[in-house]
Amino acid sequence: MKETGVFETSNASKYLQQLCKHFAHKVEVEYDETSGRAELFSGPAIMSATPERLTVTITAEDEDGLEKARGAIDRHLEKFAFREDFKTMSWTAA
């Protein structure tokens, strides 16, 4: 199962790097300024940043895994993007 989340922001690269640095404390992560991959417990999270948006595609074996990955990403972005009044990414089935 896959879902893709989108966050329209001019700070996409900054948030991608913050997410990856944070996740690197617990899981394997690879990233640069415009792309990243975090091996979350439920499955991989593939991230990309453009000047206008952050996009994250998560993969999991079941809905519970997707929910956990969505929650982890949204909770961390809520902390990182507090100045933008972030609540949740726009998630859709991929």
Side-chain angles (χ1 to χ4, degrees):
M1 301 181 79
K2 286 186 179 184
E3 286 190 5
T4 299
V6 176
F7 175 26
E8 301 291 334
T9 176
S10 61
N11 295 305
S13 177
K14 173 185 167 183
Y15 297 142
L16 180 151
Q17 292 176 69
Q18 283 181 296
L19 282 170
C20 288
K21 286 176 186 175
H22 181 78
F23 290 144
H25 294 287
K26 295 190 178 197
V27 299
E28 185 176 329
V29 173
E30 295 177 20
Y31 70 97
D32 58 28
E33 292 179 358
T34 60
S35 63
R37 179 183 178 98
E39 296 297 330
L40 300 181
F41 298 110
S42 57
I46 309 298
M47 297 167 255
S48 65
T50 68
E52 301 86 25
R53 81 183 47 85
L54 173 64
T55 303
V56 180
T57 299
I58 54 174
T59 304
E61 290 188 19
D62 54 29
E63 181 60 38
D64 186 54
L66 288 177
E67 185 178 327
K68 288 178 181 175
R70 276 192 314 263
I73 291 165
D74 285 342
R75 280 191 308 278
H76 287 90
L77 282 174
E78 189 173 10
K79 291 176 186 174
F80 301 150
F82 67 93
R83 287 182 181 92
E84 296 188 50
D85 198 30
F86 175 88
K87 296 297 179 213
T88 183
M89 294 189 90
S90 298
W91 293 99
T92 57

